[in-house]
Amino acid sequence: MIFRAILSLLAVATLAPGPVVAQTLDREAQREVVSHLEAALRQNYVFPERIPAISAELERRVQSGPVDGEHFAEILAQGLVRASDDLHFSVAFDPDGVAAENRAKAGGETATQAQRDSERAANFGFREARRLDGGLAYIRFDFFADPQYAQEIAAGAMRFAEGAEGLIFDLRYNNGGVLEMAQFLMSYLYAPGKEQEFFDYNYNDHGVRVERGQWSLAAVPGQRSADMPVVVLTGSTSFSAAEWMAFSLQRLGRATIIGERTAGGAHPVGRVPIDDRFMLQVPIGQIRDPVNGQDFEGVGVTPDLVVPASDALLAAQKFLLQSRAEAGDADAGWALAPVEFAISGQAPDAANLDEAVGTYEGRTLVRTPTGLSYHWRDRFVLALDPIGKDLFAVQGTDDYRLRLVRENGAVSGLERVWKSGETAAYRRLD
């Protein structure tokens, strides 16, 4: 099942055309395109009862004078979205793309070679897979690629999360894609041998109504993490398959959603040639969650913890670390301190940084345009990041931090604080 998502919440078509020679359509040619589009809707659109209203809107959008193909595609897309209130609709004027799509379908492929090449160049949507302090894993991907081609990349990201104390999926900027990728990733969150339904849906396939469910996979590469706490980050541009992954994990009680309410595009779509020049993206089905049989079309997914999308990652780190820290987990407490400082929004005081500049036993602090740097043995240099009142993280290591020591308000020394709680003091010499 394919979710092709829009790049924004405006009437912007995702079916981006390649470079084509401009073609002009007179009124008769426009009506012919609309007629073919209506036929495609009757064959594929999930809500046939809405087609008369859509047809009336499209008829109103036929121009009296000539219009070029790309502009007419935009006009049609705007009409479809306006009449249906479904952001999944889009139209593209792309003769080369239509030809490539037809060749791919004739060969049994779900995507053209150009589409696969483009996704491969974008690392199949995966932007980051890294470890955060406190034993947390973080994975960001911005679209759902077909696991037929992207499975190795996706499995590599999930392997990176193995053994973590908590996992954060960042879907704040994810516009959707192929739902089977969500199925693949979600399968890692359930124990082997446990059958868990993720999605229950129906769709049109060349005029035939198909009903099916999508379940956890019997096998995935690498280890599963059935007990790992999971957070999914969402934003207002999280769309379609991204929303479904968040929504289902939330309904199943497997993940906590943090961020902003999502866009509200719940319908699966298909790509359908209108003729030999225009391509239609059309909602072809409905999906329901496996718990209550509901969706989020037009309303979006409401997070469990609502925060601005820009603050969601820090909020997720605090959420995953705080309970562990309160339970006495020293590693979580150590990692929580800089997170709370960042959330507080406190900016380092320039005067305090200037006061710290100087020579200490065996080391010096030097002012930089962005803060302070730590020098020792005349050759080693590491930058310092403020994470509290007179407290600094040392870039490149999480083993220790540096704290300014003050006497009567003046900086009198420097203290190295190890994660174990041990300390070492260095007197100021200048």
Side-chain angles (χ1 to χ4, degrees):
M1 183 60 59
I2 297 176
F3 277 75
R4 297 295 181 188
I6 59 172
L7 298 180
S8 75
L9 300 188
L10 303 175
V12 178
T14 55
L15 297 176
V20 296
V21 178
Q23 296 186 29
T24 301
L25 291 81
D26 59 20
R27 187 174 181 83
E28 182 179 350
Q30 294 173 49
R31 287 186 180 278
E32 184 178 358
V33 173
V34 170
S35 177
H36 288 306
L37 194 159
E38 291 171 343
L41 290 176
R42 288 191 294 271
Q43 183 77 6
N44 298 278
Y45 187 34
V46 64
F47 301 116
E49 68 278 6
R50 300 180 186 177
I51 294 177
I54 293 174
S55 296
E57 178 66 29
L58 296 178
E59 178 62 30
R60 286 191 290 269
R61 291 180 178 261
V62 172
Q63 307 295 296
S64 58
V67 60
D68 71 76
E70 289 189 15
H71 183 48
F72 190 54
E74 294 175 5
I75 291 172
L76 294 176
Q78 291 167 2
L80 287 165
V81 172
R82 179 183 177 84
S84 67
D85 199 30
D86 193 322
L87 294 170
H88 275 108
F89 268 118
S90 63
V91 180
F93 177 75
D94 188 6
D96 291 341
V98 170
E101 188 88 8
N102 288 334
R103 288 194 299 270
K105 288 183 177 179
E109 298 290 342
T110 59
T112 67
Q113 185 62 49
Q115 290 165 346
R116 291 200 299 270
D117 290 344
S118 176
E119 290 188 348
R120 185 175 291 106
N123 201 41
F124 297 104
F126 285 84
R127 295 286 297 269
E128 291 184 73
R130 57 189 171 102
R131 286 300 186 101
L132 306 176
D133 293 343
L136 305 181
Y138 169 84
I139 299 174
R140 172 184 167 181
F141 56 105
D142 292 354
F143 63 86
F144 288 74
D146 188 338
Q148 178 180 352
Y149 309 107
Q151 178 174 307
E152 289 187 11
I153 297 296
M158 295 305 295
R159 286 194 180 102
F160 203 80
E162 289 178 2
E165 298 286 344
L167 172 60
I168 301 171
F169 284 116
D170 191 346
L171 304 183
R172 288 176 291 177
Y173 317 104
N174 190 304
N175 302 136
V178 180
L179 195 59
E180 279 75 10
M181 176 57 81
Q183 177 190 25
F184 179 75
L185 294 171
M186 292 166 67
S187 295
Y188 278 90
L189 308 181
Y190 290 86
K194 174 177 174 56
E195 294 186 348
Q196 176 62 61
E197 186 179 17
F198 297 144
F199 316 106
D200 184 16
Y201 56 91
N202 59 76
Y203 60 96
N204 290 324
D205 184 10
H206 300 93
V208 177
R209 194 72 165 178
V210 178
E211 296 188 9
R212 58 178 291 201
Q214 201 170 74
W215 296 71
S216 55
L217 299 174
V220 292
Q223 298 178 9
R224 295 177 186 251
S225 302
D227 300 320
M228 183 187 297
V230 178
V231 169
V232 178
L233 308 185
T234 60
S236 63
T237 53
S238 302
F239 191 69
S240 200
E243 297 178 90
W244 267 115
M245 181 171 172
F247 189 64
S248 291
L249 288 175
Q250 182 186 54
R251 288 300 177 95
L252 291 168
R254 187 60 187 89
T256 300
I257 312 303
I258 297 178
E260 296 175 355
R261 182 189 294 268
T262 63
H267 297 151
V269 302
R271 292 164 54 94
V272 182
I274 297 172
D275 56 17
D276 59 356
R277 297 166 297 174
F278 289 86
M279 183 75 76
L280 169 67
Q281 177 173 284
V282 54
I284 60 173
Q286 291 177 284
I287 301 182
R288 304 294 182 187
D289 79 73
V291 178
N292 299 317
Q294 298 178 344
D295 70 6
F296 46 83
E297 178 64 29
V299 296
V301 181
T302 301
D304 300 295
L305 176 59
V306 178
V307 300
S310 57
D311 300 333
L313 178 54
L314 286 172
Q317 290 174 263
K318 181 177 180 179
F319 175 82
L320 291 169
L321 293 170
Q322 192 163 38
S323 59
R324 291 169 49 202
E326 291 172 351
D329 187 323
D331 188 52
W334 179 266
L336 182 61
V339 170
E340 292 185 321
F341 180 75
I343 290 174
S344 74
Q346 298 179 45
D349 186 282
N352 286 345
L353 296 179
D354 292 338
E355 291 174 4
V357 173
T359 303
Y360 303 79
E361 290 179 310
R363 58 219 71 230
T364 59
L365 295 184
V366 177
R367 192 74 161 88
T368 69
T370 57
L372 293 172
S373 60
Y374 175 55
H375 298 236
W376 74 102
R377 293 185 181 176
D378 297 324
R379 67 175 64 188
F380 303 118
V381 181
L382 290 173
L384 302 182
D385 294 321
I387 58 170
K389 175 62 176 175
D390 290 339
L391 182 64
F392 301 86
V394 183
Q395 288 188 11
T397 179
D398 191 43
D399 294 335
Y400 65 92
R401 293 167 180 166
L402 296 176
R403 184 191 304 276
L404 300 179
V405 177
R406 293 180 182 268
E407 294 181 7
N408 300 319
V411 178
S412 60
L414 189 64
E415 184 179 55
R416 186 197 298 251
V417 182
W418 277 275
K419 187 181 293 189
S420 63
E422 298 178 353
T423 63
Y426 310 100
R427 289 183 301 111
R428 185 163 189 168
L429 302 180
D430 56 0

